[in-house]
Amino acid sequence: MANLKTKTELYLKANSKTWDDTKVSLQNNSDGNGDFISSWSYDISEPTAEQLATYETAANTEEANNTVIATRKNLYGSWESQLEEINEQGIDSWKTRIAQIKSDNPKESNE
């Protein structure tokens, strides 16, 4: 199940808005009811639970892809080490390694 924050971000994006901590707050009262929007000051309507539910699949994909991107970044190494690799082993070797990392850690389709 996707995080409320991710679904809310997608709702905002669909309405040409971006996340702003001064305009929205999420809360969890640890009462078993989960996260909820505790404050909303955008110039668009606060999303209903039903509206947010329509973003579940897209949010799951985004969250999975964020995990893949984090894994890839870790495997790529720092830009300094990548430059050193290119300098010592050549650009083709580096391209091959990067392509293998992407192949081993594919992102999900957004469709």
Side-chain angles (χ1 to χ4, degrees), residues 75-101:
L75 293 170
Y76 293 157
S78 68
W79 64 269
E80 293 95 344
S81 66
Q82 291 183 62
L83 285 174
E84 185 175 326
E85 177 184 355
I86 291 167
N87 186 48
E88 292 175 0
Q89 298 174 18
I91 191 77
D92 290 334
S93 173
W94 174 82
K95 285 181 181 180
T96 300
R97 186 177 70 82
I98 296 301
Q100 187 63 53
I101 289 170

Side-chain angles (χ1 to χ4, degrees), residues 2-88:
N3 291 318
L4 176 60
K5 183 172 192 254
T6 305
K7 291 187 282 190
T8 305
E9 286 174 329
L10 290 173
Y11 171 82
L12 289 167
K13 183 178 178 182
N15 287 281
S16 302
K17 305 291 180 186
T18 57
W19 184 272
D20 182 341
D21 286 332
T22 66
K23 293 183 178 182
V24 62
S25 297
L26 304 181
Q27 188 171 325
N28 186 319
N29 291 336
S30 300
D31 58 3
N33 291 321
D35 297 340
F36 63 96
I37 297 171
S38 59
S39 69
W40 183 269
S41 63
Y42 284 94
D43 60 357
I44 58 173
S45 298
E46 181 177 332
T48 64
E50 292 78 18
Q51 287 173 312
L52 290 173
T54 66
Y55 294 99
E56 184 72 30
T57 301
N60 282 329
T61 300
E62 182 159 324
E63 289 173 4
N65 285 342
N66 287 342
T67 299
V68 169
I69 290 167
T71 299
R72 285 180 178 183
K73 284 181 179 181
N74 184 49
L75 293 170
Y76 293 157
S78 68
W79 64 269
E80 293 95 344
S81 66
Q82 291 183 62
L83 285 174
E84 185 175 326
E85 177 184 355
I86 291 167
N87 186 48
E88 292 175 0

